Amino acid sequence: MTDLALRGATYTLVNDPFLNAAEDCVVYQSDGLILIRDGRISAVGDYAGLKDQLPEGIETRHYPDALLLPGFVDAHIHYPQVEIIGSYGAQLLEWLNKYTFPTEAGFNDPARARKIAEFFIAELLRNGTTSASVFCSSAPLSVDAIFEAAGARNMLILAGKMMMDSRAPANILDTPRTSYDDSKALIERWHKRGRRLYTVTPRFALTSSPQQLELAGALMREHSDVRLQSHISENLAEVARAAELYPARKHYTDIYDHYGLLDERAIYGHGIHLSEEELRRFHETGAKIAHCPTSNFFIGSGLFNIAATKDQARPVAVGLGTDVGGGTSFSMLQTMSEAYKMAQLRGISVTAAQSWYLATLGSAEALGIADRVGKLGAGYAADIIVLDPRATPLLALRADVAETLDELLFALMICADDRAIQATYVAGELVHERDSNA
Ligand code: GUN
Ligand code: ZN
């Protein structure tokens, strides 16, 4: 791997600004320098202070008009749903039956899985997303396809085979035993191979039998460092159906809790309709939530309450997810914009620092990868984006009148999109450049 230095304004979160004073959370250098060695950041700081440490002959790329930031971390996304993004007119359960299950059946075909996996990884990088927690289809080969595509770019991707044995079309159902055996084989094949991490992925309580949830729990007990991802409390009809299917359980959270699926390695998409008692249980167990606002608006699921979730008295860790194809954009900038608007509808104004935290370090913390990505810091992976604050005429006009860094970052997260991602680096390699014709 080539050693490299990047020079420009640097901005990174180092702490959670929902729980700490903003000044203890943000590190900004108007003229910063990032030294990269063997794919990792070896030093980061003020250019004037660091320039004497530049090794002889090292290439320095200077981005005088841009912001250098940690790559975005998407805490929840479905790669086999790319082609159904923007599908009309249905709420969650109908949307799953009408659009989602049929498109996921296509991933029984390895050629289709490879083609969409390649597209998906390229689209993440075009949007400045360098890590993501990815739901595959129920076909094990769909996991092979995404891990192969991610590995070709040396990306830290978490992914898992959807476990689903009930209440969906036969061509995408597994059984408790095959889902266990296939997941175990995939863990052995992929977990910690390069930067890849395996995530046990029961779709949600509605498509799993008790036996399958039991075996998902067994996988988690048998593999102490794999993660778990699923869905919870996204839609009121879903919540009611979960109660019908699991009548012995106190509430939706108690279903997953009962089967050993609620701990600090677990992240659940949505959590819009969780009760105080359920949020307390998330806090106690250390389980996390992936907030997916573009999806919640689009599918009409409801308004997630970020302030209640991050309540200082019993905070629950939250990451930000696009939830494509229920979500409507790969752009974490657009997703931050919609998260802000959703909070506004609840009477809360999330700050710029809080929003950038959710999209980077917050998601990394929620996925258990914050020891290696989500921040610009020595020892962290050189997963870095170059953001152009003047990417469009409107952004340029707005940037010119921004009086503070916070104002600029806020306007960017509200108004910018993939056009503002000038370059994306993964493990110190340039993997996307907006203005190149390559
Ligand atoms: N709940 C269970 N499966 C899904 C899915 O694929 N997308 C969303 N948004 N919610 C789900
Ligand atoms: Zn989802």
Side-chain angles (χ1 to χ4, degrees):
M1 280 181 237
T2 43
D3 290 351
L4 189 66
L6 305 179
R7 180 180 175 188
T10 58
Y11 177 85
T12 188
L13 273 298
V14 293
N15 260 316
D16 180 351
F18 286 95
L19 305 177
N20 300 278
E23 59 269 26
D24 298 329
C25 298
V26 170
V27 177
Y28 172 71
Q29 304 282 350
S30 57
D31 185 12
L33 188 68
I34 305 172
L35 292 177
I36 299 169
R37 159 157 271 177
D38 292 334
R40 288 187 196 211
I41 297 172
S42 58
V44 54
D46 175 42
Y47 176 77
L50 263 187
K51 68 176 188 313
D52 294 341
Q53 289 183 35
L54 277 171
E56 187 91 8
I58 195 172
E59 182 189 351
T60 302
R61 294 186 195 154
H62 191 192
Y63 296 100
D65 304 316
L67 283 163
L68 304 177
L69 301 141
F72 292 122
V73 179
D74 188 335
H76 184 119
I77 186 165
H78 299 253
Y79 100 83
Q81 296 178 12
V82 171
E83 294 156 288
I84 56 151
I85 194 168
S87 288
Y88 174 77
Q91 304 238 336
L92 179 66
L93 301 181
E94 187 193 355
W95 177 84
L96 287 171
N97 285 314
K98 192 165 168 186
Y99 301 114
T100 315
F101 294 155
T103 203
E104 289 189 12
F107 288 72
N108 295 334
D109 168 11
R112 172 91 174 281
R114 272 198 298 274
K115 177 179 156 211
I116 300 298
E118 277 296 325
F119 175 90
F120 175 87
I121 291 291
E123 194 63 15
L124 287 182
L125 296 173
R126 240 175 42 70
N127 280 278
T129 300
T130 48
S131 284
S133 193
V134 182
F135 288 73
C136 302
S137 79
S138 55
L141 67 86
S142 72
V143 181
D144 296 335
I146 198 69
F147 274 144
E148 272 158 20
R153 274 45 155 239
N154 201 8
M155 288 172 80
L156 194 173
I157 288 286
L158 307 99
K161 173 207 127 55
M162 203 75 100
M163 300 172 76
M164 48 188 299
D165 67 352
S166 307
R167 294 170 284 274
N171 60 358
I172 54 167
L173 287 183
D174 52 22
T175 69
R177 180 47 52 187
T178 61
S179 71
Y180 174 87
D181 290 345
D182 289 342
S183 299
K184 204 167 182 68
L186 288 164
I187 291 168
E188 275 152 26
R189 191 174 318 149
W190 292 112
H191 185 55
K192 294 188 167 171
R193 205 168 129 199
R195 301 181 72 197
R196 306 166 182 98
L197 295 172
Y198 194 80
T199 300
V200 173
T201 307
R203 177 169 219 127
F204 66 158
L206 274 61
T207 48
S208 281
S209 64
Q211 295 82 343
Q212 183 164 63
L213 295 183
E214 185 82 49
L215 286 173
L219 286 167
M220 294 308 288
R221 281 193 303 281
E222 290 158 9
H223 303 276
S224 61
D225 60 356
V226 300
R227 278 65 169 171
L228 179 135
Q229 61 184 352
S230 186
H231 297 87
I232 195 167
S233 230
E234 175 178 3
N235 161 289
L236 291 172
E238 170 210 1
V239 177
R241 189 79 179 111
E244 278 169 23
L245 292 169
Y246 289 87
R249 305 273 63 91
K250 252 193 310 192
H251 41 57
Y252 201 160
T253 300
D254 191 40
I255 300 173
Y256 296 129
D257 205 359
H258 178 77
Y259 293 102
L261 305 178
L262 208 68
D263 67 16
E264 67 290 337
R265 296 175 292 160
I267 182 162
Y268 286 87
H270 309 294
I272 298 170
H273 307 288
L274 294 173
S275 64
E276 175 57 33
E277 190 183 337
E278 290 179 281
L279 286 170
R280 184 159 296 283
R281 193 63 194 136
F282 266 75
H283 169 74
E284 286 163 1
T285 59
K288 335 280 193 205
I289 292 176
H291 171 32
C292 306
T294 75
S295 168
N296 301 159
F297 277 129
F298 180 69
I299 307 185
S301 302
L303 304 178
F304 179 70
N305 191 337
I306 185 85
T309 312
K310 300 284 301 188
D311 185 344
Q312 301 256 5
R314 49 117 195 83
V316 175
V318 176
L320 192 64
T322 60
D323 195 29
V324 164
T328 51
S329 172
F330 272 79
S331 172
M332 290 293 281
L333 293 160
Q334 290 282 291
T335 307
M336 292 155 82
S337 181
E338 299 307 297
Y340 176 81
K341 295 170 199 167
M342 188 168 286
Q344 283 286 88
L345 288 169
R346 291 243 183 212
I348 303 143
S349 302
V350 177
T351 67
Q354 288 170 338
S355 304
W356 287 88
Y357 165 78
L358 287 176
T360 54
L361 183 59
S363 282
E365 286 174 351
L367 297 172
I369 53 175
D371 55 342
R372 57 202 101 163
V373 301
K375 170 190 303 187
L376 301 178
Y380 277 73
D383 293 352
I384 298 164
I385 57 174
V386 181
L387 201 126
D388 172 6
R390 292 182 167 74
T392 69
L394 178 63
L395 287 176
L397 194 81
R398 183 66 184 88
D400 283 342
V401 298
E403 289 180 359
T404 63
L405 176 67
D406 257 5
E407 188 185 337
L408 176 66
L409 286 166
F410 182 71
L412 276 170
M413 72 179 229
I414 296 299
C415 301
D417 54 26
D418 53 331
R419 292 169 293 180
I421 308 299
Q422 188 176 331
T424 306
Y425 289 85
V426 168
E429 299 287 340
L430 181 65
V431 289
H432 163 69
E433 193 166 33
R434 183 190 59 192
D435 302 327
S436 90
N437 296 318

